[in-house]
Amino acid sequence: MIAAPSSAVPLVLVALYFAACLAIGLWALRRTRDARDYFVAGRRLGPWVTAIALFSSVMSGFAFVGGPGLVYRDGLSSMWMVVSGILGTCLSTFLVGKRLRLLAEVRDALSLPDALAARYGSEAVRGLSALAIAAGVLAYLATQIAAMAFVLQGLLRQSGLVGEVGLELCAALATAVLVGYCILGGALASVATDLMQGAMMMAASALVFFAVRAQFEGGYAEAFRTIAADDAEALGPFGTQGAVTCLSWFFLFALGGSGQPHIVTKNLMFRRVADLRRILPLTILTGTVATLLWLVLGVAMRALVLQGRVEPLAAADRAAPAFLELWASPWLAGIVFAALFAAIMSTADAFLNLGAAALVHDLPRAFGFRPVQHELRWARLATLLLGAAALGFALGSRELVAFLGSFGWSTFAAALVPTVALGLNWKRANATAACASMATGLAATIGVELWLRIRGAELRLPHGFDRGAAALLLSLLVFLAVARATPRTPLPRDIDTLLEL
Amino acid sequence: MSRRPSLVFLALLAGLLAQGAALLWLFTVPGAPSSSAGPHPRFPVLRVAPRAFEAAEPLRAPTLLYGVGAFLALFALLALGLGGGRPLRAGRGAFAGATLGVAGSALALWVAYLGAPRATDGWAGLPPGSAWLLFGLWPAEALFAWVYVRHFHELVWPPSAERRFAALLAERDRACGERER
């Protein structure tokens, strides 16, 4: 058995990464002059920046820590979430990319609720979508801040430079860096740091791929055979969770991307529609390289435990950190830990930006108030308040964070996919259908979760069918049924033309 | 998709309804285990599947129906996005080829798995079904990206669309100018 050596190198690399984020924030500060710069980076991003910002927003801490943990625990089951990635990116681009970019230009939309309000001609649609996004922002931020605090505390402990540092201080430090560069540079700082963060994730993934291979004399084939000898079905295409669970994940993750606000909002930011031709393949290529880490770390740790070379892990989520602490050189561990922070922050900064837009730009309009004067100033204040609130939630109530954490991919998918993906491609879609499906999606995810927690009950669908996939299916059917059953709504001329392009 | 429901719309509806039907069927499958994974006998954090869980006869048909429904809905949505609700003309062959590539990989995976659910070694240390998942289905999905890139100027952003959009912007700017005056 191997013991984790103490080294300050990973901590130093992470500190350098934090400093680089703040420097990018200062760079973006000089280029952020108004709300359009702050919310959609002035709509002037190039294809490379947009592509990497897209994939790095998708890759949260869950992909770097949760993903390997799922492979360690369940075998190949969770690979269906990863394998759906290419199809999901295609679906999101086919269904949403061009239309949202055109809508942004025609109606000067600065946020997703802005674009939806223009498409449906309804402030109720704006309000419901903004509320869903605002609640989701707190959820994502609180969980990401908690994750950063745990990782930072572990790094400080391992460095041997300081004694035990409290979780509160670690959370405050990480939040200060995150909120700092977001306040300074808004969306521009967010996507510029995404570029650096994406590059780090790809480099880390490629390095880990070779580092894992070096641990087994027979390469990956030996690791696979070790797992198969212990439990053949863990290495089967559906892992230990079975085909029903895996197929429901495939449906949820392939289609769900078209409703994730932090992903689809990137379509408001690039320069020209023709850029989409380069953005799609670049996103797929860079994203696929980065997701290799999900598979290889989980497989490596399961095989190493089964071979008796590592103590069994106390929790599956320890798979990635344990591999880095025990088997990687301090430099590689430093790069991957910095990439882990990059994964967390690239998602969190997108949500901070979305939350500020929802609070300052969308909700006042949805409730009939006049547009806010000095929007940029208020957006910066809203970013600060959101960061502080999320920090408070992360530290104040583990139970609340656990509840909010469930407000993830599946809730956005169920609440927003029909309204966004079908609404931008189907003239018959109307505000009644959009509101009905958003309400159904929110009730079937948040509502059910809340009800279960109040009752102290558990709900498992037969054979592990994913609840999020069921909620998405339900909201899609409600959307189609209501749109067909209600009278056709005449569209404004520009929207009508736009839906034909 | 204006007056009469199009083929794409019907395919989407059929895919969604097939999934719903499969889900209801799974609720009532008799004799099948209610959950899949259980704790590993030596390492409780690891999960292992019950013996030949997926080979359980009663589960195969509803699971297959669900899988077909999910893929059908996804393909229909891809066609909807690419054709903007109108039937695909240019690039129809390429889109059909990509669909066949992805559907074929998924089918090969299913057949390889059902043929030998507990196979241990096929290619690069992986069982055949898993090899199809990682080296077949996963890269095959990129065919849709190839269709998008290859036929971008016919399907997604043809010169006629670009002209119509420029006219729309000009009309908007004119209207704004008049309002300001």
Side-chain angles (χ1 to χ4, degrees), chain A residues 10 57 63 66 87 110 114 117 161 192 205 223 246 309 313 342 360 417 425 472:
Chain A
S57 298
L87 196 66
L110 299 187
D114 229 5
L161 293 176
S205 199
C246 293
R309 293 161 70 188
L313 304 178
V360 174
V417 162
N425 290 278
L472 172 58

Side-chain angles (χ1 to χ4, degrees), chain B residues 46-62:
Chain B
L46 300 182
R47 311 290 284 175
V48 291
R51 294 286 157 205
F53 167 73
E54 290 309 332
E57 196 69 40
L59 279 185
R60 284 188 194 174

Side-chain angles (χ1 to χ4, degrees), chain A residues 119-120 418-419 422-424 426-431 433-434 479 483 489 491:
Chain A
R119 157 63 184 89
Y120 291 100
T419 302
L422 291 181
L424 291 174
W426 190 29
K427 285 187 180 180
R428 176 102 203 193
N430 57 33
F479 186 90
T489 312
L491 294 169

Side-chain angles (χ1 to χ4, degrees), chain A residues 72-76 79-80 82-88 90-91 93-95 97-99 101-108 220-221 224-225 228-245 247-252 254-255 273-278 280-281 284 288 291-292 295 302 305-306 312-316 421-422 425-428 460-465 469-470 473 476-477 480 484 488 493-501, chain B residues 1-6 9 12-13 15-17 19-20 23 26-29 32-38 40 42-43 45-55 59 63-64 66-67 69-71 73-75 77-86 95 102 109-110 113 117-121 123-127 129-130 133-135 137-139 141-153 155-158 160-162 164-165 168-169 171-172:
Chain A
Y72 174 77
R73 197 190 67 179
D74 297 329
L76 294 190
M79 285 312 292
W80 285 85
V82 176
V83 165
S84 68
I86 295 179
L87 196 66
C90 289
L91 268 166
T93 307
F94 285 24
L95 288 166
K98 178 182 71 178
R99 295 275 155 71
R101 177 61 189 76
L102 297 178
L103 199 51
E105 195 157 345
V106 169
R107 292 293 188 99
D108 199 21
Y220 280 97
F224 290 142
R225 285 188 190 112
D230 175 69
D231 180 28
E233 283 181 317
L235 203 65
F238 301 112
T240 62
Q241 292 292 339
V244 178
T245 306
L247 287 172
S248 63
W249 281 343
F250 185 78
F251 177 68
L252 175 66
L255 187 49
V273 173
D275 289 343
L276 277 168
R277 195 182 184 197
R278 279 187 285 170
L280 177 62
I284 287 174
T288 305
T291 48
L292 280 177
L295 172 69
R302 187 160 177 137
V305 165
L306 292 171
L313 304 178
L422 291 181
N425 290 278
W426 190 29
K427 285 187 180 180
R428 176 102 203 193
R460 281 177 62 83
L461 297 185
H463 316 296
F465 191 92
L473 188 59
L476 278 165
L477 285 169
L480 292 177
R484 275 270 153 203
R488 182 186 296 271
R493 220 174 83 79
D494 58 342
I495 301 292
D496 191 76
T497 307
L498 201 143
L499 292 185
E500 285 172 4
L501 294 177
Chain B
M1 240 193 309
S2 49
R3 296 278 162 83
R4 272 184 321 178
S6 73
F9 180 81
L12 172 62
L13 200 60
L16 296 176
L17 290 176
Q19 289 180 63
L23 191 53
L26 281 165
F27 267 76
T28 56
V29 171
S34 60
S35 67
S36 44
H40 191 284
R42 281 184 299 144
F43 312 111
V45 173
L46 300 182
R47 311 290 284 175
V48 291
R51 294 286 157 205
F53 167 73
E54 290 309 332
L59 279 185
T63 305
L64 181 63
Y66 178 76
F71 276 89
L74 296 175
F75 294 142
L77 285 167
L78 281 163
L80 176 68
L82 211 54
R86 296 178 301 280
F95 183 79
V102 174
L109 184 164
W110 184 256
Y113 178 64
R118 299 186 60 77
T120 53
D121 209 349
W123 196 71
L126 286 166
S130 306
L133 172 69
L134 296 181
F135 305 116
L137 180 60
W138 196 4
E141 292 167 12
L143 286 170
F144 288 112
W146 173 79
V147 174
Y148 191 83
V149 172
R150 175 79 179 73
H151 294 281
F152 187 81
H153 290 300
L155 284 170
V156 184
W157 197 229
S160 58
E162 210 166 342
R164 279 185 80 186
F165 186 61
L168 190 66
L169 288 179
E171 192 181 324
R172 182 202 61 178

